């Protein structure tokens, strides 16, 4: 499944339905999301590459922080964040409870 600069493979469950799901998400180089949040907690392991993340409703790509392969991150429900890849692809394993939703939360100037 392709998305906004990323590809997703579902390993377990169905993120669109209630219940446990596990996905692999590949962020393609030079792609990232805009500020958003999820309704449920998500547990993320960086499998390969470097994942770049930032929090808050104001989009600030200069503020991205690197999260290297082997790292584990919890995105708490309703925490506004944005993320992606810089010069290399990165692969994430995401575990959560569905339905998995993404709500835009960017403050415009």
């Amino acid at each position: 499944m392709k998305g906004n600069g990323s590809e997703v493979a579902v390993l377990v469950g169905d993120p669109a339905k209630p219940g446990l799901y596990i996905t692999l998400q590949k962020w393609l180089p030079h792609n990232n999301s805009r500020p958003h949040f999820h309704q449920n907690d998500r547990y993320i392991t960086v499998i390969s590459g470097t994942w770049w993340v930032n929090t808050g409703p104001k989009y600030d790509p200069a503020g991205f922080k690197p999260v290297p392969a082997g790292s584990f991150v919890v995105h708490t429900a309703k925490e506004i964040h944005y993320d992606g890849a810089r010069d290399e692809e990165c692969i994430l394993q995401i575990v959560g409870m569905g339905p998995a939703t993404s709500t835009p939360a960017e403050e415009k100037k």
Side-chain angles (χ1 to χ4, degrees):
M1 177 172 20
K2 287 194 173 196
N4 185 20
S6 68
E7 299 172 358
V8 177
V10 177
L11 302 179
V12 172
D14 182 344
K17 296 180 180 176
L20 177 72
Y21 67 88
I22 302 173
T23 63
L24 290 179
Q25 179 171 8
K26 179 195 298 183
W27 276 106
L28 303 174
H30 308 289
N31 284 283
N32 58 274
S33 65
R34 303 299 285 201
H36 65 280
F37 65 87
H38 307 284
Q39 291 296 321
N40 299 319
D41 293 344
R42 293 162 47 110
Y43 305 92
I44 303 157
T45 303
V46 182
I47 303 297
S48 67
T50 300
W51 183 37
W52 294 85
V53 300
N54 203 351
T55 59
K58 293 192 179 194
Y59 182 69
D60 175 22
F64 274 120
K65 292 158 189 66
V67 182
S71 299
F72 178 78
V73 174
V74 177
H75 272 172
T76 305
K78 300 182 181 172
E79 173 188 56
I80 299 173
H81 63 278
Y82 45 103
D83 54 334
R86 284 201 175 162
D87 296 332
E88 63 179 343
E89 71 180 30
C90 71
I91 298 176
L92 311 174
Q93 177 182 292
I94 302 173
V95 178
M97 296 297 287
T101 60
S102 183
T103 303
E106 184 171 0
E107 285 182 11
K108 301 289 185 176
K109 293 181 180 181

